[in-house]
Amino acid sequence: MPVSRWAPNARERLEDAALELFAENGYEETTVTQIAERANVNRATFFRHFAEKREVLFGGEDLLADLFADGIRAAAPDATLPECLKAALAAAGTVMTARQRAKATQRLQVAATSSEVQERGLLKHARTTGAITAALRERGLSELTARLGAELGMLAFRVAFEGWMKTAGDEPFPSFADAALADLQARIAEYLPPPPTPEA
Amino acid sequence: MPVSRWAPNARERLEDAALELFAENGYEETTVTQIAERANVNRATFFRHFAEKREVLFGGEDLLADLFADGIRAAAPDATLPECLKAALAAAGTVMTARQRAKATQRLQVAATSSEVQERGLLKHARTTGAITAALRERGLSELTARLGAELGMLAFRVAFEGWMKTAGDEPFPSFADAALADLQARIAEYLPPPPTPEA
């Protein structure tokens, strides 16, 4: 029974088809036409969802930027900067599923062989950092404090992500995120202590 | 009097020629052949210095990564993390000349119109962060502390660079770098204070 061309989950099917084909034949060798065929949709449908081939690898990243920002916006009005970052990572945790982990593994394998994919990943990373910065600015933080917070939040996310990717078990992402954030704060306290207050 | 094809400063001439042509005709429209002709060298000479067209824009970035790492290696054995970052930025300051500022202005203009140039810039940025991380690791810092230091150092560099790019005057780069680093440390002290010590 053929899957309908108009099935509502075309985007997800395209992502799955692309990762299968990249694994089978290599990223460079795979065409958009092949991805669309495997997903049982036409090329036009591919381009309604993704601007170009490598974008099919990064649908999750665009979503993450929104989740981080939403998490920060939903934090309590008097939340401290670390509390805002914790809220951002917790919001991201909702999409860090076993399926996402499997997809991320494949994406990292493709990125290891393609600098254009690596570079697009860095562009997404920069945009996500920008989204966190903007959400922190909305809370009245200065530009520099917001940038500092965004860099620390993204570092905590990457560290948590790396730990989570290594586990085969069911330990959920938020526990990695909380540990990474606490670990970073401990390093800051140890290696970047406040300058001594001058004596009166 | 034609400039010799074997002139020793071919790399610098190629960089200047490329920026001129990008400004005149646009980045996309300019070919490697045109850049080589303008610099009065042949295509083979271009490719001895740069792997591809967009690399001609980033010669300075590769140099910066080395300077940051050298600065950290040359810091006193008992230097603190902020002192290491200060040493890295000071070492970079030696190449932040008026000529570099003019080139950086042109590069930013090209990057604003080309996502492939933007992405290459992010790749260079990631590699520079990696070079700082490695130099801090060599001093015995843990992986996480080294990554934290590298992210903060790069943020201080970007903030200093933005300030320095805006000045028309002769204020040297290191004064921007020192101010940015001090500013970041003050924000850390205010927004990321050490967790309260539990009472005994």
Side-chain angles (χ1 to χ4, degrees):
Chain A
M1 198 168 3
V3 177
S4 160
R5 282 182 183 259
W6 309 108
N9 57 339
R11 184 181 174 90
E12 200 167 280
R13 289 217 316 276
L14 283 162
E15 289 175 346
D16 290 346
L19 284 170
E20 279 171 29
L21 287 163
F22 296 161
E24 287 167 24
N25 307 327
Y27 170 77
E28 298 293 347
E29 290 69 22
T30 301
T31 65
V32 165
T33 303
Q34 290 167 342
I35 297 169
E37 270 170 19
R38 175 75 61 104
N40 211 15
V41 301
N42 56 33
R43 272 174 60 92
T45 301
F46 181 95
F47 287 114
R48 261 201 302 281
H49 289 281
F50 304 103
E52 51 169 312
K53 184 173 78 174
R54 59 184 165 169
E55 283 291 324
V56 78
L57 287 162
F58 293 106
E61 265 59 22
D62 293 333
L63 182 60
L64 271 181
D66 291 339
L67 288 171
F68 284 141
D70 290 346
I72 291 167
R73 286 189 195 108
D78 62 347
T80 63
L81 180 55
E83 285 164 354
C84 288
L85 299 179
K86 198 176 155 126
L89 295 173
T94 58
V95 291
M96 307 299 272
T97 60
R99 178 181 143 84
Q100 282 303 316
R101 184 161 58 194
K103 283 173 67 171
T105 303
Q106 288 179 282
R107 190 176 64 241
L108 291 175
Q109 281 163 2
V110 174
T113 66
S114 163
S115 73
E116 78 165 44
V117 170
Q118 253 174 63
E119 289 179 346
R120 181 52 54 95
L122 292 168
L123 190 63
K124 297 290 182 187
H125 182 280
R127 286 185 183 158
T128 303
T129 308
I132 298 175
T133 304
L136 291 172
R137 290 282 282 132
E138 284 171 26
R139 298 181 72 93
L141 292 178
S142 72
E143 174 71 19
L144 184 61
T145 306
R147 285 172 75 173
L148 170 66
E151 294 292 348
L152 291 175
M154 285 301 281
L155 179 56
F157 176 74
R158 288 205 306 274
V159 169
F161 181 77
E162 289 160 12
W164 179 70
M165 290 290 288
K166 276 186 205 139
T167 57
D170 292 325
E171 199 178 346
F173 181 79
S175 65
F176 289 95
D178 290 348
L181 207 51
D183 215 355
L184 272 176
Q185 283 185 272
R187 308 299 167 110
I188 287 171
E190 182 172 355
Y191 291 95
L192 296 151
T197 319
E199 302 208 14
Chain B
M1 194 165 10
V3 177
S4 160
R5 283 184 181 258
W6 311 109
N9 57 340
R11 185 181 173 90
E12 199 165 281
R13 290 218 314 277
L14 283 163
E15 289 175 347
D16 291 345
L19 284 171
E20 279 172 28
L21 287 163
F22 296 161
E24 288 167 23
N25 307 327
Y27 171 78
E28 298 293 346
E29 290 69 23
T30 302
T31 65
V32 165
T33 304
Q34 290 167 341
I35 297 169
E37 269 170 20
R38 174 76 61 106
N40 211 15
V41 300
N42 55 34
R43 271 173 62 90
T45 301
F46 181 95
F47 288 113
R48 261 201 301 282
H49 289 280
F50 303 103
E52 50 169 313
K53 184 173 78 173
R54 59 185 165 169
E55 284 290 324
V56 78
L57 286 163
F58 292 107
E61 264 60 22
D62 293 334
L63 183 60
L64 270 182
D66 292 339
L67 289 171
F68 284 142
D70 291 347
I72 291 167
R73 287 189 193 106
D78 62 348
T80 62
L81 179 55
E83 284 164 356
C84 288
L85 299 180
K86 197 176 154 123
L89 295 173
T94 58
V95 292
M96 307 299 274
T97 60
R99 176 180 143 83
Q100 282 303 317
R101 185 162 55 193
K103 282 174 67 169
T105 304
Q106 288 179 280
R107 191 176 64 240
L108 291 175
Q109 281 163 1
V110 174
T113 67
S114 163
S115 73
E116 78 165 46
V117 170
Q118 252 174 61
E119 289 180 346
R120 181 53 52 95
L122 292 168
L123 190 64
K124 298 289 183 187
H125 182 280
R127 286 184 182 157
T128 303
T129 308
I132 298 176
T133 304
L136 291 172
R137 290 281 283 132
E138 285 170 26
R139 300 181 71 93
L141 292 179
S142 72
E143 174 71 19
L144 184 60
T145 307
R147 285 172 74 174
L148 170 66
E151 294 292 347
L152 291 174
M154 285 302 281
L155 179 55
F157 176 74
R158 288 204 306 274
V159 169
F161 181 77
E162 288 160 11
W164 179 68
M165 289 291 288
K166 275 185 207 142
T167 58
D170 292 325
E171 199 179 345
F173 181 79
S175 65
F176 288 95
D178 291 348
L181 207 50
D183 215 355
L184 272 177
Q185 284 185 271
R187 306 301 166 109
I188 287 171
E190 183 173 355
Y191 291 95
L192 297 151
T197 319
E199 301 209 13

